[in-house]
Amino acid sequence: MLLSNNKKILYMATILIALLSILFVIDEIDNNSHKKPEDVKALYPESFTFFDLGSNTELSDEIIKTLSGQIGSYAVEKMMTLDLIIRDKVFFNKNFPKLFGLHYKLNDEAGARIEHNITNLVFRYPQKENTPFDNVKLVFSNYSKKPLFFSITSRKKESDITDTLKEKYGEPVLINWDDGKSKSMLWEKNSDYLVFSRIPERGSFKYSIMIYFVNNIENLLQIEQDEIKKREEARKKAGKTAF
């Protein structure tokens, strides 16, 4: 009799587990069917960082508050154009062809203004005495909340900056500008780019650091292209139903 009861309990437990497994699978299918492409957040290999902000950092109020404490007051810009160019288009295309290709896709060849769903955090006059920066612009996608590129100018000595970058990322590719005075150093890691440039300015030099998160830029372009297709399909559908 005891054996029979044990068999019944085992049988009921097996049925219960099977039912729970079926419900779990159905729930997963339902959740995935409602996800939009932009909701699936891709994780990319880490590359370069600025104040611990890397390729997979998601912009938040807490991060903005921390940055304000580290750098100073800031301005927020929304729905802006994206200009990746260093110096001019000819120089940029010659030395950074992949980045130029992305710039070309992000902008209109005829010069029409194309705005993107982005957030710019701009620190124009950092007030912190121990902050060696003159201007900082951090650009994030509003879809993924992840960084697209950082633009930083510094008043620090060139050797201080380059020694730090070399120690962290290794030896760069050296690019000499045709003016005989300016130069750029290029690092590439996991498809992302870091470019340090020394540029003459008023008898001295300014130092520019650009970090391009290429994987995130390409993700932004893909989302924008998907949205354009959706709008085109909606217009076609509206045209068909109008007649």
Side-chain angles (χ1 to χ4, degrees):
M1 186 72 175
L2 180 62
L3 182 62
S4 177
N5 287 337
N6 287 340
K7 285 183 177 180
K8 287 180 179 178
I9 292 170
L10 181 62
Y11 178 72
M12 293 298 293
T14 302
I15 292 175
L16 180 61
I17 291 171
L19 287 172
L20 289 173
S21 298
I22 292 170
L23 289 172
F24 175 78
V25 171
I26 292 173
D27 183 61
E28 282 296 300
I29 292 172
D30 183 64
N31 285 338
N32 288 332
S33 67
H34 288 86
K35 283 183 178 179
K36 298 178 183 178
E38 57 264 32
D39 292 335
V40 182
K41 296 179 180 178
L43 290 176
Y44 299 113
E46 293 293 342
S47 54
F48 308 106
T49 60
F50 178 70
F51 279 117
D52 294 326
L53 304 179
S55 58
N56 292 299
T57 300
E58 294 185 21
L59 186 63
S60 65
D61 292 339
E62 186 62 31
I63 285 177
I64 294 174
K65 181 179 178 181
T66 300
L67 286 170
S68 180
Q70 293 169 318
I71 306 175
S73 61
Y74 62 91
V76 177
E77 300 172 339
K78 298 276 189 178
M79 295 300 295
M80 303 294 291
T81 59
L82 278 170
D83 186 356
L84 308 183
I85 298 292
I86 298 174
R87 190 186 175 187
D88 59 61
K89 290 183 179 180
V90 174
F91 170 85
F92 198 66
N93 188 23
K94 177 183 176 182
N95 294 285
F96 312 100
K98 184 172 183 178
L99 293 176
F100 181 81
L102 291 174
H103 175 84
Y104 182 84
K105 292 177 182 178
L106 291 164
N107 295 276
D108 182 77
E109 188 178 5
R113 181 181 176 86
I114 297 180
E115 295 181 339
H116 301 273
N117 189 16
I118 60 175
T119 293
N120 294 349
L121 292 180
V122 184
F123 303 81
R124 288 193 174 88
Y125 304 103
Q127 296 91 352
K128 303 298 180 181
E129 292 182 1
N130 60 343
T131 303
F133 308 114
D134 298 316
N135 189 292
V136 176
K137 182 167 76 170
L138 312 177
V139 183
F140 292 83
S141 165
N142 287 339
Y143 297 107
S144 66
K145 306 297 183 183
K146 295 180 180 180
L148 301 172
F149 75 91
F150 298 158
S151 173
I152 306 126
T153 57
S154 177
R155 57 178 176 268
K156 213 172 183 181
K157 289 183 180 179
E158 177 181 353
S159 59
D160 292 341
I161 303 172
T162 56
D163 288 349
T164 299
L165 293 175
K166 288 177 182 178
E167 182 179 349
K168 190 169 184 179
Y169 302 119
E171 289 296 319
V173 174
L174 182 61
I175 300 169
N176 290 311
W177 295 23
D178 55 18
D179 63 7
K181 297 178 182 179
S182 307
K183 69 176 181 181
S184 293
M185 296 181 182
L186 168 66
W187 287 265
E188 182 179 1
K189 184 177 181 181
N190 294 328
S191 298
D192 296 340
Y193 291 86
L194 187 155
V195 183
F196 167 85
S197 299
R198 181 186 70 183
I199 306 167
E201 186 179 70
R202 299 175 184 175
S204 184
F205 290 95
K206 77 171 183 178
Y207 306 110
S208 167
I209 302 166
M210 301 288 292
I211 301 177
Y212 299 93
F213 297 99
V214 172
N215 294 311
N216 291 336
I217 295 173
E218 290 178 338
N219 178 260
L220 172 71
L221 282 167
Q222 184 60 57
I223 292 172
E224 290 181 337
Q225 289 168 6
D226 290 344
E227 287 194 338
I228 290 171
K229 288 180 181 178
K230 288 178 183 177
R231 288 196 294 269
E232 289 177 349
E233 289 172 359
R235 281 197 294 268
K236 288 179 182 178
K237 185 177 181 181
K240 288 179 181 180
T241 56
F243 299 98

